[in-house]
Amino acid sequence: MNSNTRPNTPEQPIEKKMPFHKYKPFKPIALADRSWPDQVISRAPRWCSVDLRDGNQALIEPMSPVEKQQMYDLLIDLGFKEIEVGFPAASQTDFDFVRNIIEADSIPEGVTIQVLCQARKELIARTCEAVQGARDVIFHLYNSTSTLQRKVVFGMSREEIITLATDATALVKQYTQPLVDAGTNVILEYSPESYTATEMDFAVDICTAVMEVWQPTEDKKIILNLPSTVEMATPNIYADQIEYFIRKLPERNKAVISLHTHNDRGTGIAASELGLMAGAERIEGTLFGNGERTGNCDLITMAMNLFSQGIDPELYLSNMPGIVEVSESCTKIPVHVRQPYAGELVFTAFSGSHQDAIRKGMSHVESGSEGAWEVPYLPIDPADVGGSYRETVRVNSQSGKGGVAFILENYFGVQLPREVLLELSPIIQAVSEADGGELKPDTIWNTFVTEFVEVKGPYQLLDYQIHSLDRENEKCTARLAISASEVDISGQGSGPIDAFVAALIETLNEPLNVVDYQEYSLNEGSQAQAICILSISDDEQRKYYGVGISQNTTTAAFKSIIAAINRKWR
Ligand code: KIV
Ligand code: ZN
């Protein structure tokens, strides 16, 4: 909502009472012996995407023909076998789109297109026109059955509404007969729209009446779709309503029970999941839950929830960034950073203790979990949806040394000793607190370099040479800038570092012990850089770390010594 349309702005005083008396609590049905709470979902339902219809009709700017095609192609790629491609009798764009995919032969074998149609004669005729020539079609007929709509919208009795639905079913049967004769496989889906706001016995009666007209068989079932058009109660109540319906429906074996939830209370997915436990077999919904008002059931989250339980979701969701990209460009609605399984931040830990646990979990998975995913704070492996281990750790002022270590190691290949991390981490934290936000890997790297590599101080290495004296001794001559003057130094030792240290001791006239020396290659290939990390200790055994980076290993070592001395003198 744009701020101009918001009724209350921050400047307006906040009313200290809410007009809750206006609302009536939803009356649950009596279903004392419900069995759904003991059920476990063990397989994927039949998925039906309604992105191109329910999703599209809820957009500020409905999809253009090109965007519809992009969304359709994506849905096919993701493995949807049933796709509601539009409401062709209500929209010329939808009509043209349906004709297009049929005439261009772009409906793969095994994929059934679904078209929505209201229970009205001329709309039914036009819908049949739209789907001519398709191989498999679900004709989705609906009319509202809710108590409130019967009273305030249609002014019709239960009997009149049943007649409306059965007459329409008879027309669908009649008008689709030529299509069937021409080889199209037509399945009827009937939705008592606003099912959850309908008296349950009436919903069963109207669906039974529709079945009597349509005459489904066990081999050719009708789809009975039970929408929670506006979500009005907790998801357990929806599950009760589904279990009730299934128990009461006379020829249950001739119907596929389908669910179509919306998300007005924020529990559209939960309602669909509990509805599946209550015996439904098919789920309608959209990618990322786009749809009317608060949206439809989010099929991606629902499928990934199954996946995370070790169940084949029967949708291919491995390229989540690609799915997000197409969805955002077609709907013009950004996917939220906290969108389950897909948002930018959903596999990210900022907190130090979480980062630490993730790091330990990852090494457990690499070494000993026998293929099972056992990583704290990560419900699934981000790599399974096109993410990477790198994204799991990001650094802000809440992060500790673990996060800094992770970034330096995973982005720059640098493994720092614990003592260096202990020194660096509070510096990083201070930078983050001063900036007030996240520190990107480059900032962490630059802070590390300023602090340990290019350390400001009195000493600078300008040049050096190494000469072999004999098989065991080398001589080092070097030129240093010390404050404002340049000084030549020289020393001997068993190797270049020893010789350089000897030269420094003579010049500095103080003890210089190199301890904790380590050097390794930062990257591979001819441009490989060596990193040398060491510390020097003074007579009181205090340690000062320095780091040198260079393509030459000796230069890296000398620079690290100079960096350490400068850090000591700071
Ligand atoms: O939400 C709803 O009830 C619908 C029907 C047309 C199925 O979208
Ligand atoms: Zn809907």
Side-chain angles (χ1 to χ4, degrees):
M1 198 190 272
N2 128 0
S3 60
N4 297 334
T5 59
R6 275 187 199 281
N8 283 303
T9 64
E11 296 81 51
Q12 277 182 310
I14 291 172
E15 281 284 345
K16 295 294 191 236
K17 61 181 189 316
M18 294 285 284
F20 56 86
H21 296 294
K22 255 160 78 176
Y23 303 100
K24 290 185 216 144
F26 190 88
K27 278 211 188 74
I29 54 167
L31 191 72
D33 55 345
R34 60 180 66 78
S35 66
W36 64 263
D38 294 328
Q39 306 307 310
V40 175
I41 304 172
S42 58
R43 51 167 302 183
R46 259 166 74 173
W47 302 112
C48 173
S49 152
V50 295
D51 288 87
L52 291 162
R53 197 275 302 169
D54 223 354
N56 186 47
Q57 78 188 39
L59 295 176
I60 298 175
E61 196 186 314
M63 290 180 227
S64 67
V66 171
E67 288 162 346
K68 278 200 140 206
Q69 186 69 45
Q70 284 167 345
M71 178 57 81
Y72 173 78
D73 292 343
L74 173 69
L75 296 169
I76 300 279
D77 272 358
L78 300 184
F80 281 97
K81 299 289 177 247
E82 294 176 19
I83 302 174
E84 190 160 85
V85 287
F87 192 162
S91 138
Q92 187 62 42
T93 321
D94 280 13
F95 188 95
D96 294 342
F97 178 72
V98 177
R99 288 307 317 143
N100 224 9
I101 53 174
I102 295 171
E103 281 160 23
D105 201 15
S106 51
I107 308 168
E109 202 143 354
V111 172
T112 303
I113 56 164
Q114 176 167 314
V115 277
L116 183 73
C117 184
Q118 246 170 10
R120 280 170 41 196
K121 186 174 176 174
E122 63 290 358
L123 301 186
I124 295 169
R126 178 86 171 141
T127 307
C128 289
E129 221 182 290
V131 296
Q132 258 174 33
R135 198 174 19 239
D136 297 289
V137 172
I138 297 173
F139 194 111
H140 183 183
L141 180 71
Y142 80 98
N143 64 282
S144 179
T145 53
S146 86
T147 324
L148 181 64
Q149 292 211 40
R150 289 197 322 262
K151 188 171 90 179
V152 305
V153 183
F154 310 112
M156 285 165 98
S157 67
R158 284 187 180 203
E159 292 68 32
E160 285 167 320
I161 293 283
I162 291 185
T163 306
L164 180 107
T166 50
D167 284 357
T169 306
L171 283 175
V172 176
K173 201 167 181 172
Q174 185 190 337
Y175 291 177
T176 54
Q177 192 55 50
L179 303 179
V180 174
D181 294 343
T184 300
N185 173 31
V186 178
I187 292 174
L188 179 68
E189 169 169 339
Y190 174 67
S191 288
E193 199 233 72
S194 300
Y195 165 75
T196 49
T198 303
E199 303 87 335
M200 290 294 106
D201 61 328
F202 178 55
V204 173
D205 286 350
I206 198 164
C207 289
T208 308
V210 166
M211 283 175 79
E212 273 160 14
V213 176
W214 186 254
Q215 291 289 308
T217 63
E218 272 193 61
D219 291 337
K220 198 151 182 214
K221 298 181 186 188
I222 188 172
I223 298 171
L224 296 176
N225 187 47
L226 306 176
S228 159
T229 303
V230 176
E231 187 171 55
M232 303 165 101
T234 49
N236 58 308
I237 290 182
Y238 186 58
D240 277 356
Q241 291 174 320
I242 302 304
E243 183 164 339
Y244 176 95
F245 183 92
I246 288 174
R247 281 194 206 173
K248 297 283 171 166
L249 187 72
E251 292 192 293
R252 161 74 180 100
N253 53 336
K254 295 182 182 167
V256 169
I257 304 302
S258 173
L259 308 180
H260 178 114
T261 57
H262 280 265
N263 197 35
D264 299 80
R265 295 167 52 93
T267 54
I269 300 167
S272 285
E273 288 180 331
L274 300 194
L276 271 193
M277 289 161 62
E281 295 124 317
R282 181 179 186 269
I283 299 289
E284 291 191 351
T286 57
L287 306 184
F288 306 122
N290 174 43
E292 294 280 12
R293 307 179 306 282
T294 50
N296 287 63
C297 171
D298 168 9
L299 297 186
I300 295 199
T301 301
M302 194 165 166
M304 288 304 303
N305 285 351
L306 295 177
F307 177 79
S308 73
Q309 300 302 302
I311 297 168
D312 180 356
E314 296 176 25
L315 288 179
Y316 312 117
L317 304 171
S318 59
N319 180 8
M320 203 62 87
I323 302 171
V324 169
E325 197 181 316
V326 177
S327 168
E328 288 184 337
S329 96
C330 292
T331 63
K332 321 279 184 309
I333 295 179
V335 169
H336 197 278
V337 292
R338 304 239 179 255
Q339 174 74 28
Y341 305 106
E344 188 197 322
L345 293 182
V346 298
F347 299 117
T348 298
F350 284 102
S351 125
S353 63
H354 290 204
Q355 293 173 339
D356 201 43
I358 289 174
R359 209 159 39 85
K360 289 181 177 143
M362 288 302 294
S363 54
H364 161 66
V365 163
E366 273 153 27
S367 59
S369 75
E370 286 161 11
W373 182 252
E374 290 176 328
V375 179
Y377 302 110
L378 291 181
I380 62 153
D381 182 351
D384 292 337
V385 285
S388 81
Y389 176 39
R390 272 183 172 196
E391 293 158 39
T392 59
V393 171
R394 285 165 63 170
V395 170
N396 64 12
S397 58
Q398 304 298 305
S399 317
K401 62 179 185 331
V404 175
F406 182 97
I407 298 285
L408 290 175
E409 190 172 332
N410 286 278
Y411 286 78
F412 304 100
V414 171
Q415 275 167 299
L416 293 179
R418 191 179 138 74
E419 285 108 319
V420 178
L421 283 171
L422 283 172
E423 278 190 66
L424 179 62
S425 161
I427 299 165
I428 300 276
Q429 198 164 16
V431 175
S432 172
E433 272 163 6
D435 279 16
E438 183 190 359
L439 293 189
K440 293 288 180 198
D442 278 352
T443 311
I444 293 173
W445 175 255
N446 292 337
T447 309
F448 163 67
V449 168
T450 312
E451 188 58 32
F452 284 93
V453 186
E454 281 155 19
V455 186
K456 285 208 176 77
Y459 296 90
Q460 231 187 305
L461 177 67
L462 299 177
D463 193 13
Y464 74 87
Q465 263 132 25
I466 305 290
H467 315 272
S468 245
L469 298 177
D470 54 45
R471 288 174 74 183
E472 270 153 29
N473 284 301
E474 297 195 60
K475 180 176 173 192
C476 170
T477 56
R479 170 159 290 205
L480 301 183
I482 305 181
S483 300
S485 46
E486 291 189 7
V487 178
D488 290 317
I489 61 171
S490 105
Q492 290 183 21
S494 59
I497 298 178
D498 256 6
F500 184 59
V501 168
L504 284 168
I505 289 173
E506 227 165 86
T507 315
L508 302 176
N509 203 16
E510 62 172 293
L512 180 63
N513 290 318
V514 171
V515 284
D516 302 333
Y517 167 89
Q518 51 172 294
E519 186 152 12
Y520 52 86
S521 171
L522 270 187
N523 31 39
E524 284 152 27
S526 58
Q527 297 300 304
Q529 299 249 71
I531 181 166
C532 178
I533 305 165
L534 52 69
S535 68
I536 55 170
S537 67
D538 61 16
D539 356 339
E540 280 152 43
Q541 302 309 312
R542 274 188 301 246
K543 283 181 175 180
Y544 303 90
Y545 274 91
V547 178
I549 298 172
S550 167
Q551 272 180 290
N552 178 297
T553 51
T554 306
T555 311
F558 288 10
K559 281 180 154 181
S560 66
I561 294 170
I562 296 293
I565 296 172
N566 281 334
R567 293 192 76 241
K568 180 183 165 190
W569 280 99
R570 275 196 315 194

